[in-house]
Amino acid sequence: MRPIDIIEKKRDGNELTAEEIEFFIQGYTQGDIPDYQAAAWLMAVYLRGMSEREIRDLTLAIARSGTMLDLSDVAPIVVDKHSSGGVGDKVTLVAAPVVAACGVPVGKMTGRGLGFTGGTVDKLESIPGFRTDLSPQEFKSQLARIGIVITGQSASLAPADRKLYALRDVTGTVSSLPLIASSILGKKLAGGANAILLDVKVGSGTFMKTVDDATCLAETMVRLGRELGRRVSALISDMNQPLGWAVGNALEVQEAINVLHEDGPSDLREHCLVVAAEMLVLAGRVADSAEGVEMAAQTIADGSAWHKFRALVAAQGGDVRFVDEPDRLPRAPIVEVLPAPADGYLQKIDAAQVGMAVVDLGGGREKKEDPIDHSVGVIVHYKVGDWVQSGTPLYTLHANDRTRLEQARARLVAACTIGPEPVSPPPLFYKKIGA
Ligand code: URA
């Protein structure tokens, strides 16, 4: 088999066999197939799509590119969650410790930022010392010890996804249903959890722009995940505006800590409680979502979710002083408030543009090797539907560089629309798939 034949076959719109997919993914993971051929293949998949059978084979090839964890000797049920990507989405940092504090082990494989969306690995790495490259043995022993693990793809866990994910990020091949579905499910299979809650986003700040497209992605993943022997359900949630107020790595960690201390934005808290509740339902810990929300809220109120988060940070080498006193987290030297230009209702705030403003500031990647600046970001002070008073803070920018700040500022000004007509806030969730 030759990589060029597989690229051309997909370029011409033909279905690849399981052997061809396996050969390509193994070859790329092992370094026998170079980035330029993998990029061409990704673009061919992006443009031509894949059948459900191909998506399944690609998922399995990604999962098998490293160790596939068997967690059955750790706990009968281990739960995981995954977001399809959003702006200001720090839900894992709250929902995972909440669920673990309810007594359900959480073993999570996560990723870095993709395009204008943030990634949990990048956020957690703003805590000095925090390791996101755990070995399979470390994953299992930490899960057995404290009931919670959040790690990234590594040389031994879903290494194919680690490489493909970074390449997609810089080759315009992120927003493809087969590539998203296989990337997410491949990681989830490798991570070993038997119950998986998918938070599939829809809107300007994510890769699926319509509820129909998000539903199609969610249904595909739920179907495949179940076929592959996992309990899976999905929520379709809104991502037309950033979730919470903070966008940017360290700022988001701080906001998640606030929610764990019963503070922070109400949309974020509610979103985290619903996600946690659905994880508890999947794990069989509660009978329904309402009971789950109640149990989840209790772990925040009694401090047990916070203690789980702190234990997670300590177990993965993070310096807990930085979460005990979040003011110590990386801080950008330039903090500038952008005031609202007029009175009116906030009618729209384009989440993708807010995400791109954070990339402009250095909080995301333009090239694969780009380092991330954890300290930069944006605070958005209003939500869609709010009355905005002229001259009050609309955004606060955290920057390390004046030129970058100007670029982000121009983008942010264009990202929001303020007008005289009231608008209803969008819902947090549209529907649930696979109840
Ligand atoms: N999250 C992933 O893990 N992969 C994607 O492709 C998109 C979101």
Side-chain angles (χ1 to χ4, degrees), residues 82-85 114 161 165 168 174 179-181 183-184 187 207:
H82 204 88
S83 156
S84 61
L114 262 186
D161 186 56
Y165 196 88
R168 285 169 57 211
V174 171
L179 297 177
I180 297 175
S183 160
I184 293 179
K187 271 195 291 292
F207 310 119

Side-chain angles (χ1 to χ4, degrees), residues 72-310:
S72 56
D73 54 339
V74 179
I77 294 286
V78 176
V79 69
D80 190 354
K81 72 149 289 261
H82 204 88
S83 156
S84 61
V87 176
D89 181 359
K90 64 286 282 179
V91 172
T92 292
L93 303 181
V94 179
V98 162
V99 171
C102 295
V104 175
V106 179
K108 175 156 172 62
M109 285 267 296
T110 190
R112 295 190 180 277
L114 262 186
F116 52 80
T117 69
T120 305
V121 166
D122 293 328
K123 296 179 218 270
L124 285 169
E125 285 180 355
S126 55
I127 304 167
F130 196 101
R131 285 186 51 218
T132 55
D133 60 347
L134 301 189
S135 68
Q137 295 70 25
E138 288 172 318
F139 188 113
K140 284 183 75 163
S141 69
Q142 182 177 317
L143 190 62
R145 214 170 60 252
I146 63 166
I148 182 168
V149 182
I150 305 178
T151 190
Q153 316 97 313
S154 68
S156 38
L157 288 172
D161 186 56
R162 183 162 73 152
K163 289 187 80 176
L164 288 170
Y165 196 88
L167 192 60
R168 285 169 57 211
D169 192 23
V170 292
T171 53
T173 53
V174 171
S175 54
S176 142
L177 188 152
L179 297 177
I180 297 175
S182 56
S183 160
I184 293 179
L185 280 182
K187 271 195 291 292
K188 301 296 98 178
L189 291 186
N194 30 21
I196 302 159
L197 190 266
L198 302 167
D199 187 3
V200 177
K201 308 282 184 197
V202 55
S204 68
T206 186
F207 310 119
M208 295 294 137
K209 304 297 179 194
T210 66
V211 173
D212 281 353
D213 285 349
T215 303
C216 187
L217 173 63
E219 286 178 348
T220 304
M221 292 194 290
V222 169
R223 229 175 9 248
L224 280 180
R226 288 179 177 181
E227 245 178 79
L228 296 166
R230 310 296 158 116
R231 296 183 192 176
V232 191
S233 63
L235 295 166
I236 307 285
S237 63
D238 186 74
M239 189 31 78
N240 283 297
Q241 61 180 334
L243 189 54
W245 297 315
V247 186
N249 297 294
L251 293 172
E252 291 191 42
V253 171
Q254 172 147 23
E255 188 168 85
I257 291 172
N258 291 345
V259 172
L260 287 168
H261 289 314
E262 292 218 276
D263 201 357
S266 57
D267 65 325
L268 176 61
R269 173 184 158 93
E270 191 183 331
H271 195 110
C272 294
L273 291 178
V274 171
V275 165
E278 292 300 335
M279 293 167 76
L280 293 169
V281 171
L282 268 179
R285 180 77 176 83
V286 293
D288 56 30
S289 183
E291 192 189 337
V293 166
E294 207 172 303
M295 185 182 281
Q298 183 56 31
T299 67
I300 295 183
D302 67 16
S304 54
W306 159 249
H307 286 292
K308 252 324 158 193
F309 177 77
R310 203 173 176 279

